[in-house]
Amino acid sequence: MAKRLLVAVAFWALGGPVGLHHLYLGRDNHALLWMLTLGGFGFGWLWELWMLPGWVAQANHPLEKRHNDPPSFNPVRFLGQALVGIYFGLVALVGLSTLPGFYILALPLAVGLGVHLVSAVGNQTSDLQATLMAAFVTAPIFYGRAVAILPISLTTSVTAQRHRQYRATRATREKLSARLYRLGLAYLAFTTPLAYSAFYNTAATATYVASSIGTVLDWLSAFPSLTGILESVLLLPYHAWKMLGFSGGTFKDWEKVFVFVQSFQSERQRMAYKVLGIHDDATLEEINKSYRELVKLWHPDHNRHQMEEAEKRFIEVQAAYELLMEMRKHKAV
């Protein structure tokens, strides 16, 4: 039966974040991706309105497989593979991190499946075996580290792109019941570890998440503006919970994660004052004065005899000043 654009738009508007329009158009992998990410965290769903006419035409007139002509490189798809791979890895970290051999088996498997899901969206696919092999080969190099998710995701994304190909066109369409059954199993496989963690392993999970957040924030400490934005985003759920009146029980353990983020902010602010050599309640004039003096003192052009030390101190002073200015700007707002 031919697909209609008006129906696709209606499904997009009513159930877009859970992929109803993709299910209608026979794009099951895309539907599953949207179910697991709530429409690409909202952004992908909004953007898709402009893509619907092309997808409806493609559903009504499937393209024939081109054997010797692989799909061209798509930077958006590559970025999506890397981000979803990281997302799947974080979900595995939350729900399965206490399992024996987690960093060797569960983590690379989760990241590899996330990357492959994106590579199999639309009329394209990739080599699942090669993608998972790249994940399992990369995982031991970063064994035991929460940041292993990033290199595993990048490696598997590159591998998936190298093995990209067009999907073979099916002669007959699957029944809707069979498609829904398969999507339901995949959804349960994804959400079950999260449910288990929320009810039985909350304290350990909160510790892992706090450790991962701390590592990422530490990496971004040289960019105070970016770090401040990330910290504000991370604290949104905490403020929402407080406004809704949640406390105690399961939320008490998760609250530690957000308290950790807040303490990280306070510690960075304290260190910034220390770098500038001023007290915690210094005025804006005192901050600017100290900054100008230290920039002049440690400018590399004035310290050619100790260039390496001067560059290090100069960058520290710049970062400390930018951090304090950013925090004062937020307080003023």
Side-chain angles (χ1 to χ4, degrees):
M1 186 172 66
K3 304 299 181 182
R4 298 182 179 277
L5 178 59
L6 186 60
V7 177
V9 172
F11 278 125
W12 172 86
L14 296 174
V18 293
L20 285 185
H21 54 304
H22 290 302
L23 189 63
Y24 170 69
L25 295 173
R27 300 168 61 89
D28 290 359
N29 287 335
H30 212 156
L32 177 61
L33 178 63
W34 259 215
M35 288 168 62
L36 302 181
T37 62
L38 288 181
F41 308 105
F43 299 106
W45 166 60
L46 294 173
W47 173 254
E48 282 185 334
L49 180 61
W50 317 108
M51 313 290 290
L52 286 177
W55 287 338
V56 171
Q58 192 178 95
N60 290 326
H61 306 286
L63 297 175
E64 292 185 2
K65 180 182 176 182
R66 288 168 277 187
H67 294 277
N68 300 320
D69 186 19
S72 58
F73 174 76
N74 187 333
V76 175
R77 185 181 290 262
F78 177 80
L79 179 62
Q81 288 173 338
L83 292 177
V84 173
I86 293 171
Y87 171 61
F88 272 48
L90 288 173
V91 170
L93 190 67
V94 168
L96 304 172
S97 55
T98 57
L99 294 178
F102 168 76
Y103 288 97
I104 294 295
L105 296 175
L107 182 61
L109 178 62
V111 174
L113 290 176
V115 170
H116 182 73
L117 178 59
V118 179
S119 69
V121 162
N123 63 345
Q124 296 184 27
T125 186
S126 188
D127 188 334
L128 176 60
Q129 184 177 351
T131 301
L132 292 180
M133 182 63 70
F136 284 116
V137 168
T138 308
I141 301 174
F142 301 91
Y143 181 81
R145 303 177 188 175
V147 294
I149 296 171
L150 180 60
I152 295 174
S153 182
L154 291 176
T155 304
T156 51
S157 297
V158 170
T159 303
Q161 282 291 322
R162 291 187 62 184
H163 291 84
R164 63 187 182 275
Q165 56 188 312
Y166 285 105
R167 185 192 305 279
T169 305
R170 292 183 178 179
T172 58
R173 293 182 181 273
E174 274 189 297
K175 291 183 178 180
L176 180 60
S177 58
R179 293 165 56 201
L180 290 175
Y181 176 73
R182 189 174 62 249
L183 288 174
L185 288 180
Y187 186 79
L188 283 176
F190 183 87
T191 55
T192 299
L194 288 177
Y196 171 83
S197 175
F199 289 102
Y200 297 105
N201 197 29
T202 310
T205 301
T207 302
Y208 272 104
V209 173
S211 175
S212 302
I213 291 174
T215 302
V216 173
L217 293 177
D218 190 49
W219 278 7
L220 297 175
S221 59
F223 308 97
S225 298
L226 182 59
T227 308
I229 294 172
L230 180 59
E231 289 170 352
S232 299
V233 171
L234 291 171
L235 287 169
L236 279 176
Y238 173 71
H239 295 311
W241 288 350
K242 285 291 187 182
M243 288 178 61
L244 294 172
F246 289 117
S247 62
T250 301
F251 292 100
K252 196 164 186 177
D253 287 311
W254 281 107
E255 189 177 28
K256 296 175 184 176
V257 176
F258 301 105
V259 170
F260 167 80
V261 176
Q262 288 184 316
S263 68
F264 193 88
Q265 289 178 319
S266 301
E267 180 64 17
R268 287 173 56 242
Q269 186 175 16
R270 188 185 66 79
M271 290 298 297
Y273 281 118
K274 185 176 180 181
V275 168
L276 294 179
I278 52 181
H279 49 84
D280 294 353
D281 56 349
T283 63
L284 180 60
E285 184 179 349
E286 290 173 327
I287 294 174
N288 288 330
K289 180 181 178 182
S290 177
Y291 169 69
R292 287 193 295 268
E293 292 175 351
L294 289 173
V295 164
K296 185 176 180 180
L297 175 65
W298 290 110
H299 197 286
D301 290 345
H302 303 156
N303 295 272
R304 297 187 181 277
H305 60 291
Q306 50 176 353
M307 184 69 74
E308 187 175 342
E309 176 70 14
E311 288 180 351
K312 178 182 176 183
R313 294 295 183 88
F314 186 78
I315 292 174
E316 286 180 352
V317 170
Q318 292 275 14
Y321 180 74
E322 185 180 345
L323 173 65
L324 293 180
M325 291 298 100
E326 190 69 24
M327 288 186 168
R328 282 178 171 265
K329 186 190 301 183
H330 287 308
K331 285 181 179 179
V333 174

